[in-house]
Amino acid sequence: MINFLVIGGGGREHALVHALSKSEIAGSVHAAPGNPGMEKAARLHPVNGLDAESILPIVKEHDIDLAVVGPEAPLAEGLADVLRAEGVMVFGPGKAGAMLEASKVHAKRFMDRHGIPTAPWDLCSTFEEAEAAINKRSAPYIVKADGLAAGKGVVVAKGAEEALSAARAMIEEGLFGESGRRVIVEDGLLGQELTVLAVTDGASYRILPPSQDHKRIFDGDEGPNTGGMGAYAPAPWADPSLMEKIKNKIIEPTLAGLRAENTPYCGVLYAGLMIGPDGEPRVIEYNVRFGDPEAQVVIPLLETDFGRLLLACCEGRLSEVPWTEPARWAANVVLASKGYPGPFEKGKLITGLDPEGLPGDGNFLVFHGGTARDGYGNIVTAGGRVLSAVGLGDTLEEAIKTAYRGASAISFEGAHYRKDIGRKAFLKGSEQEW
Ligand code: AMP
Ligand code: GLY
């Protein structure tokens, strides 16, 4: 039996804990720090940070065999390397592999070296360079800070003025730190965004159901970008011929490129894609971990024992694991705090989480993203993305309906959620917003 540790405390990590707690090979499941939603499925370990100093004592005390790193920051800092050196199996790449997410310049150069389609780009280290790169393009203008910026380092500007001031803030004022003083200006891509996740042991891989996130806070993709307000999977418009292109032009060349450069990679490769009006996929970004909220719809769909899948990746024998293609659908709706993604209040009492009031029959799940217990043991809000209502079904319509039935049963003061999650899935080609 395997003792698992999930590192992180959001909705993605709750989805990981949920799947591992059902694994036939799970001895125990731990989470650091985890969240109140995981209390029944895992042993929680409060930690100050997600660094080696905080995690190693847990690993040793609880005989952890396999650690899954949820968020990108500890991967970028090399947590997986430290744990592996201590003899722990880790699902998640080491520092070298994590560079695909930690440095956008690295990722762009990697794609260029390996012929992986992405938007044409310029590297700008001075404001003058950025100005020239912006002025030779047309709207939408895309300006990206190089390093990790907690999802805030990308500006999509309708006008050149906005793009120029974003570039100035990044380069001259160091808005996103020293690494963010290097900026990428790239062509704006038109099309539909698609998330494709592949789990890999470095040699073999499995592509998980393609999903679509909803990044803007309001219906109709209005308002500021967020971490993600809901997702659905599989995206029905990602037909077999598109998935074949994604496999051949993006996933395989990326993994082959990592191998050719002697970069070991065990974990998830997240390809954030734009599917253009020409039907061609191009990479917007790589991430080196499960997406959030995508993980919350993709992982519950998997038919293969999740613990066995991760173990096989860590042992370099993914190709031996029998694989059943997922056959169902999932959608999730994120309930956010009032004001998110700007400033918001915490500590609001959450009601409606008792299973009696929620859709039953195993087709509904709640994953906690930003919750805590108050001094009386009540579950209260503690983050921007508070909870996620996940519906599963034999059709996408059913999954969406179930997710919304659950979302409407849960409440807290100021709760906000989008009412149009999954709408894009039903648009015909001609109605797509190219
Ligand atoms: P990222 O933080 O890299 O995921 O970027 C945030 C969002 O910016 C993406 O989800 C896209 O919606 C948008 N974006 C980034 N790069 C481009 C691009 N080249 N063309 C159009 N949209 C983009
Ligand atoms: N949902 C986007 C991300 O996880 O980066």
Side-chain angles (χ1 to χ4, degrees):
M1 298 299 265
I2 300 292
N3 296 333
F4 291 100
L5 170 66
V6 173
I7 296 167
R12 161 184 50 211
E13 288 77 23
H14 192 172
L16 290 165
V17 160
H18 175 77
L20 289 173
S21 69
K22 293 193 303 183
S23 169
E24 285 173 3
I25 61 165
S28 60
V29 179
H30 301 254
N35 68 45
M38 308 176 191
E39 282 164 358
K40 288 203 182 90
R43 272 189 68 180
L44 307 187
H45 304 281
V47 280
N48 290 324
L50 301 183
D51 49 9
E53 201 184 331
S54 303
I55 300 299
L56 271 178
I58 300 169
V59 162
K60 292 198 171 132
E61 190 181 336
H62 301 282
D63 290 326
I64 300 300
D65 301 297
L66 196 165
V68 190
V69 186
E72 61 277 13
L75 291 167
E77 280 156 21
L79 179 61
D81 302 307
V82 177
L83 295 177
R84 282 192 185 104
E86 294 287 330
V88 182
M89 291 183 278
V90 184
F91 186 81
K95 193 171 190 161
M99 283 292 283
L100 279 185
E101 177 167 359
S103 166
K104 292 187 191 301
V105 174
H106 172 85
K108 282 288 195 182
R109 287 181 173 149
F110 176 93
M111 287 186 267
D112 287 352
R113 278 199 297 281
H114 299 287
I116 296 162
T118 186
W121 64 291
D122 287 305
L123 171 60
C124 310
S125 303
T126 64
F127 177 71
E128 288 67 32
E129 286 170 0
E131 194 175 25
I134 288 166
N135 286 337
K136 76 176 187 193
R137 290 184 163 80
S138 54
Y141 301 93
I142 315 290
V143 182
K144 302 183 171 185
D146 181 36
L148 288 183
K152 299 196 173 77
V154 176
V155 172
V156 179
K158 290 198 180 98
E161 275 314 306
E162 192 191 335
L164 290 168
S165 68
R168 191 187 293 281
M170 290 177 190
I171 296 170
E172 295 191 342
E173 289 150 35
L175 183 63
F176 297 113
E178 280 317 300
S179 63
R181 287 184 190 266
R182 286 207 301 182
V183 157
I184 286 174
V185 174
E186 67 180 34
D187 288 7
L189 298 172
L190 294 176
Q192 283 291 326
E193 285 185 52
L194 184 70
T195 298
V196 175
L197 306 173
V199 293
T200 179
D201 57 11
S204 321
Y205 65 90
R206 289 284 181 200
I207 293 182
L208 309 186
S211 55
Q212 192 175 38
D213 189 3
H214 297 62
K215 292 205 168 169
R216 304 287 181 144
I217 186 78
F218 299 125
D219 287 16
D221 293 337
E222 297 287 340
N225 254 319
T226 70
M229 292 300 291
Y232 65 90
W237 50 274
D239 57 28
S241 83
L242 175 59
M243 292 308 291
E244 190 66 18
K245 272 190 211 168
I246 292 169
K247 175 173 94 106
N248 293 331
K249 296 186 176 181
I250 290 162
I251 302 297
E252 288 190 355
T254 301
L255 297 176
L258 287 165
R259 278 196 301 278
E261 296 184 7
N262 295 316
T263 306
Y265 198 100
C266 163
V268 189
L269 177 72
Y270 171 131
L273 306 175
M274 188 71 90
I275 313 302
D278 57 358
E280 288 301 311
R282 292 176 184 83
V283 176
I284 295 177
E285 61 163 352
Y286 288 119
N287 292 327
V288 298
R289 33 95 192 155
F290 283 103
D292 193 355
E294 292 95 323
Q296 303 177 41
V297 288
V298 170
I299 296 174
L301 289 178
L302 302 182
E303 303 275 347
T304 307
D305 182 296
F306 195 60
R308 285 188 197 279
L309 192 66
L310 300 195
L311 179 64
C313 285
C314 292
E315 292 180 341
R317 45 173 193 80
L318 176 58
S319 59
E320 294 169 17
V321 176
W323 179 256
T324 311
E325 278 304 326
R328 304 190 76 211
W329 304 80
N332 82 326
V333 176
V334 171
L335 284 81
S337 293
K338 185 180 171 194
Y340 174 79
F344 54 84
E345 289 177 15
K346 299 180 183 177
K348 308 288 181 198
L349 183 68
I350 303 170
T351 57
L353 285 174
D354 296 331
E356 304 86 74
L358 296 170
D361 67 22
N363 283 329
F364 181 72
L365 300 163
V366 180
F367 291 135
H368 292 220
T371 66
R373 282 202 188 270
D374 69 7
Y376 305 98
N378 298 313
I379 296 188
V380 297
T381 66
R385 292 190 292 172
V386 176
L387 292 162
S388 150
V390 185
L392 301 166
D394 293 329
T395 64
L396 182 55
E397 289 88 336
E398 224 177 277
I400 293 171
K401 218 183 262 176
T402 303
Y404 274 109
R405 225 162 18 101
S408 64
I410 301 169
S411 56
F412 54 87
E413 191 191 315
H416 162 74
Y417 58 89
R418 276 181 66 157
K419 308 291 187 300
D420 65 344
I421 301 298
R423 188 183 62 86
K424 283 187 211 168
F426 303 103
L427 296 180
K428 302 281 171 298
S430 58
E431 297 169 316
Q432 301 272 4
E433 296 141 10
W434 301 126

